[in-house]
C-alpha cells in the first residue's frame, strides 16, 4: 500500500503491481520502429533469382548436359525400317495385291460403258411388235341434251313443264275479310256487356279523388335559439413562465432545512463506518495484435 492513496488491489485488482523494467531507457517512437525488427538483423536467406531457359547451361539444374543413356550403340532408323519391311514381305504367299482400276464414267445418256453386266434387252429402245388395232363396239346412244340455259327456255327440265298460275297481290287481306264475315254470320247477338260498373276504369282526370281532404296541419312552433356553443381555449404550454398552470405563482411554505436519512448508518464496535468489500476488478491485458507481433 502506498503512503497516500488506494491500494494496488483497489486500483488494478492485483495484490502488488508489477515492476517496470523500462525505467531510464531511451524513448523510441513506434512510427520509426520497423514492423519486423528481427528481419533486419544478422544474415538473411538470399535467393539467386529465377533462371530463364536458354542455349546456355545456366538455365538447367545440372552444371553440364547429361545423357539418358551413356555409351549406347548408334542405330540407324531408316535401316531398321527397311529390315522390318523385308521381314514382313517374306510372309506374303503370292504376289502383292494390286487394286482394280478406277470406276469408268458413262460416255453419254443411255450408254452402258462402265457398267458391270453390259447391256440389258429390257432397256432397249427397239419397239415391240404390235397387233392391229381393233376398235371396240359402239356405246349406248341417248337423246342429246337440250340447248339453253334454263332461264327463258321452255321444256328443258326432266319432267313436264310447270303450269302457270296467277297469284293475287292482296290475297292475305281478302282471306282475312272472308274469315271475319263468316265469323260474324255465325254469331247470334252482340257482345256481352255488364252494367254493374258504368264508369270507365280511369277517369278523365287521373288526380281526382272523391275522399274528403284531411284537416290542415298546424305548423310547428318555433323553438328559441340560445347562445351558440363555444369551445374552451386550448391548453397553454409553459414557455419559461407560469402560463400553463392554474395559479399564476405557486404557493410557498417556509420549511427548515433538515437532512433526513432514509437508512440508519451502520457502524462496527469501534464506532467506525462499515465499508463493504469491493467486487472483482479487471486486469490490464495486452491486445491480440501486440501479442502476435512479439510472438
Amino acid at each position: 500500500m502506498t503512503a497516500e492513496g488506494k491500494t494496488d488491489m483497489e486500483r488494478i485488482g492485483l495484490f502488488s503491481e508489477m515492476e517496470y523494467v523500462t525505467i531510464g531507457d531511451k524513448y523510441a517512437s513506434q512510427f520509426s520502429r520497423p514492423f519486423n525488427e528481427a528481419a533486419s538483423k544478422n544474415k538473411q536467406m538470399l535467393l539467386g533469382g529465377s533462371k530463364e531457359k536458354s542455349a546456355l547451361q545456366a538455365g538447367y539444374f545440372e552444371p553440364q548436359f547429361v545423357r539418358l543413356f551413356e555409351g549406347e550403340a548408334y542405330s540407324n532408323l531408316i535401316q531398321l525400317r527397311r529390315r522390318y519391311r523385308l521381314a514382313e514381305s517374306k510372309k506374303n504367299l503370292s504376289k502383292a495385291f494390286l487394286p482394280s482400276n478406277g470406276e469408268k464414267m458413262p460416255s453419254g445418256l443411255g450408254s452402258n460403258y462402265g457398267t458391270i453386266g453390259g447391256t440389258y434387252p429390257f432397256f432397249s429402245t427397239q419397239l415391240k411388235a404390235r397387233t392391229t388395232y381393233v376398235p371396240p363396239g359402239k356405246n349406248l346412244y341417248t337423246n342429246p341434251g337440250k340447248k339453253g340455259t334454263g332461264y327463258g327456255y321452255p321444256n328443258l327440265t326432266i319432267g313436264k313443264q310447270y303450269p302457270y298460275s296467277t297469284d293475287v297481290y292482296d290475297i292475305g287481306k281478302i282471306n282475312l275479310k272472308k274469315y271475319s264475315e263468316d265469323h260474324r254470320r255465325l254469331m247470334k247477338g252482340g257482345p256481352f256487356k255488364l252494367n254493374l260498373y258504368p264508369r270507365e276504369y280511369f277517369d278523365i282526370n287521373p288526380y281526382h279523388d272523391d275522399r274528403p281532404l284531411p284537416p290542415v296541419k298546424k305548423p310547428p312552433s318555433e323553438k328559441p335559439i340560445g347562445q351558440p356553443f363555444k369551445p374552451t381555449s386550448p391548453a397553454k404550454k409553459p414557455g419559461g413562465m407560469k402560463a400553463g398552470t392554474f395559479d399564476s405563482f405557486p404557493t410557498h411554505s417556509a420549511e427548515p432545512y433538515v437532512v433526513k436519512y432514509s437508512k440508519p448508518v451502520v457502524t462496527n464496535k469501534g464506532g467506525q463506518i462499515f465499508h463493504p468489500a469491493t467486487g472483482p476488478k479487471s486486469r490490464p491485458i495486452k491486445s491480440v495484435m501486440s501479442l502476435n507481433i512479439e510472438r
Side-chain angles (χ1 to χ4, degrees):
M1 181 176 178
T2 58
E4 294 180 359
K6 300 180 180 179
T7 60
D8 296 340
M9 178 63 71
E10 293 178 349
R11 289 192 303 104
I12 58 176
L14 300 176
F15 290 103
S16 62
E17 190 175 0
M18 301 298 294
E19 298 180 357
Y20 297 94
V21 297
T22 59
I23 298 177
D25 294 347
K26 294 182 179 181
Y27 174 73
S29 177
Q30 58 179 354
F31 298 101
S32 62
R33 190 178 303 170
F35 178 75
N36 191 1
E37 189 175 358
S40 60
K41 295 180 180 180
N42 301 329
K43 293 183 179 181
Q44 306 297 324
M45 182 177 65
L46 301 178
L47 301 178
S50 60
K51 297 181 179 180
E52 297 181 357
K53 187 176 181 181
S54 61
L56 302 178
Q57 193 64 32
Y60 299 91
F61 294 99
E62 300 294 336
Q64 59 182 358
F65 183 77
V66 180
R67 297 179 59 87
L68 297 178
F69 299 99
E70 291 289 342
E72 71 272 14
Y74 173 74
S75 58
N76 191 357
L77 297 179
I78 299 176
Q79 186 178 6
L80 293 176
R81 193 179 297 112
R82 289 176 179 175
R83 289 178 182 178
Y84 177 75
R85 289 179 181 176
L86 291 174
E88 292 294 328
S89 63
K90 292 179 181 180
K91 297 180 181 180
N92 296 333
L93 301 178
S94 61
K95 297 180 179 180
F97 172 75
L98 298 176
S100 61
N101 297 330
E103 59 181 4
K104 298 178 180 181
M105 303 300 293
S107 58
L109 185 62
S111 64
N112 297 317
Y113 179 77
T115 58
I116 299 175
T119 60
Y120 290 92
F122 302 101
F123 298 99
S124 177
T125 57
Q126 185 179 0
L127 298 176
K128 295 182 180 179
R130 296 182 179 180
T131 57
T132 56
Y133 175 72
V134 178
K138 295 181 179 181
N139 294 328
L140 180 66
Y141 287 99
T142 58
N143 190 16
K146 298 178 181 180
K147 296 180 180 180
T149 59
Y151 299 99
Y153 293 86
N155 299 325
L156 294 181
T157 58
I158 298 174
K160 294 181 179 181
Q161 189 69 18
Y162 293 105
Y164 176 75
S165 59
T166 59
D167 189 8
V168 184
Y169 180 75
D170 294 335
I171 188 65
K173 293 182 179 180
I174 296 172
N175 293 335
L176 181 59
K177 185 178 180 181
K178 184 178 179 182
Y179 174 76
S180 60
E181 289 177 354
D182 294 342
H183 180 69
R184 290 193 188 97
R185 183 173 49 84
L186 296 175
M187 293 176 63
K188 295 182 179 180
F192 177 76
K193 296 180 180 180
L194 291 176
N195 297 326
L196 299 177
Y197 198 79
R199 295 186 304 173
E200 297 180 358
Y201 187 77
F202 290 105
D203 296 334
I204 297 174
N205 186 6
Y207 299 102
H208 178 71
D209 192 4
D210 295 338
R211 293 178 296 177
L213 296 176
V216 180
K217 295 182 180 180
K218 295 181 180 181
S221 60
E222 296 181 0
K223 294 181 180 180
I225 300 175
Q227 295 182 358
F229 172 75
K230 182 179 179 182
T232 59
S233 301
K236 297 180 181 180
K237 297 181 179 179
M241 53 183 177
K242 306 299 179 178
T245 58
F246 293 100
D247 300 333
S248 57
F249 293 96
T251 57
H252 175 71
S253 59
E255 295 179 358
Y257 176 75
V258 178
V259 179
K260 297 180 180 181
Y261 293 98
S262 60
K263 296 181 181 180
V265 179
V266 180
T267 57
N268 54 8
K269 296 179 179 179
Q272 298 180 356
I273 300 174
F274 172 73
H275 293 282
T278 58
K281 296 184 179 180
S282 59
R283 297 178 57 188
I285 59 175
K286 294 184 178 181
S287 64
V288 179
M289 185 175 179
S290 60
L291 289 176
N292 291 334
I293 292 174
E294 292 180 2
R295 187 180 301 173

